[in-house]
Amino acid sequence: MRSSAILALSLSAALGVALPAAAQDRSFNFSLLGGIAAKPDYPGASDYSAKPLAGFTFGSLTYGGRAMGAGIGAIPENGFRFGGSFRVVGSRRISDNPQLAGLKEISTAYELGLGVTYQQTNWNVFGNIRQGFGGHHGVTGTIGSDLIFRPSDRLTISGGPRINLGDSEYASTYFGVSAAESGASTFGQFNARGGVLGAAVAVRATYNLNDRWSLEGLASYEKLMNDAKDSTITQAGLEDQWTVGIGLSRAFTLRF
């Protein structure tokens, strides 16, 4: 009896130690960004307004003793890495932009997809592709590169060129004008096709306040191109598109 009790207590103690260790082998690390940004009212607009700024950054995934990613706040490992890609395109409403009277209204669109990055300590190149939901159902993507500077352990500054792409579904949603819309508005009919829709440069600065919280600032300039530039909507607005924003991000680690 005494031996059985000792064995049971030993097994219980072993399980108590093993279970937390197993849980530590399975974790998902990421960060969420929330803030505010000055953006064009809609693609091709000349007017700007304050809009919510949101973002998601993949940190690392650990499962079964294998790890992918260095984690939020750490210097990324050199080489190829894969992750998610997310973007929000704001709504286009006549009540906010009466000059668009006669054009269709567009709800907020959410784009979700995948990306691949070739990372080196002080630079990277990347590409991503996203499927739209909500306001548009097209496919968009971005190809770009960044130079990376780390003036201190807490501050990281990165920036570089971008090429923005979209298929005909996306282009026609934001830059196309149908015959019916042309008849009901001041815009000439325009059949927008997909392809390279913009060339941009973007800069982002991240200051780590502590292990969980970071302050982020960003600025970008995009020159609309091809059918995005030639659209009668853009011709009445601007082909030069600026975005400036600031926000707070918080890192999370989920264990399962």
Side-chain angles (χ1 to χ4, degrees):
M1 290 290 291
R2 183 177 179 181
S3 298
S4 298
I6 293 174
L7 179 60
L9 289 172
S10 299
L11 287 173
S12 298
L15 287 173
V17 172
L19 287 176
Q24 291 177 3
D25 287 341
R26 299 188 298 271
S27 65
F28 177 45
N29 176 246
F30 62 95
S31 70
L32 296 177
L33 170 69
I36 190 168
K39 298 181 179 181
D41 283 353
Y42 53 87
S46 58
D47 295 328
Y48 286 71
S49 59
K51 297 179 181 293
L53 179 66
F56 168 86
T57 301
F58 170 80
S60 64
L61 175 65
T62 303
Y63 188 86
R66 296 184 178 181
M68 179 174 63
I72 298 297
I75 297 177
E77 299 172 351
N78 288 346
F80 284 99
R81 57 187 175 92
F82 298 88
S85 179
F86 177 73
R87 186 175 77 149
V88 178
V89 183
S91 61
R92 190 180 78 183
R93 302 196 179 281
I94 307 304
S95 58
D96 298 326
N97 303 277
Q99 71 273 22
L100 300 179
L103 298 184
K104 64 182 178 182
E105 294 196 334
I106 306 173
S107 301
T108 299
Y110 304 92
E111 298 178 355
L112 184 63
L114 299 172
V116 59
T117 300
Y118 180 73
Q119 180 75 45
Q120 289 296 305
T121 303
N122 296 316
W123 60 271
N124 65 37
V125 292
F126 65 89
N128 54 55
I129 185 170
R130 300 177 298 271
Q131 172 65 55
F133 301 92
H136 81 83
H137 295 88
V139 176
T140 67
T142 304
I143 300 170
S145 177
D146 283 324
L147 290 176
I148 305 168
F149 304 93
R150 299 181 178 87
S152 70
D153 292 339
R154 292 180 178 268
L155 178 63
T156 301
I157 302 172
S158 61
R162 311 278 190 267
I163 296 294
N164 295 320
L165 308 102
D167 66 2
S168 293
E169 175 76 17
Y170 172 84
S172 64
T173 299
Y174 293 99
F175 302 105
V177 180
S178 67
E181 289 176 309
S182 178
S185 71
T186 60
F187 299 94
Q189 184 177 351
F190 186 79
N191 179 29
R193 296 162 298 179
V196 175
L197 299 179
V201 61
V203 178
R204 178 183 293 265
T206 302
Y207 185 80
N208 298 324
L209 300 173
N210 52 44
D211 291 341
R212 295 185 178 182
W213 291 94
S214 297
L215 180 65
E216 299 197 23
L218 60 89
S220 68
Y221 164 75
E222 180 181 20
K223 185 84 167 179
L224 296 181
M225 300 175 64
N226 300 321
D227 279 14
K229 172 187 174 182
D230 297 336
S231 167
T232 53
I233 296 174
T234 304
Q235 292 299 308
L238 279 177
E239 61 192 61
D240 301 306
Q241 306 278 281
W242 291 87
T243 297
V244 178
I246 189 169
L248 277 173
S249 66
R250 188 187 189 281
F252 298 87
T253 299
L254 302 180
R255 304 190 184 279
F256 52 95

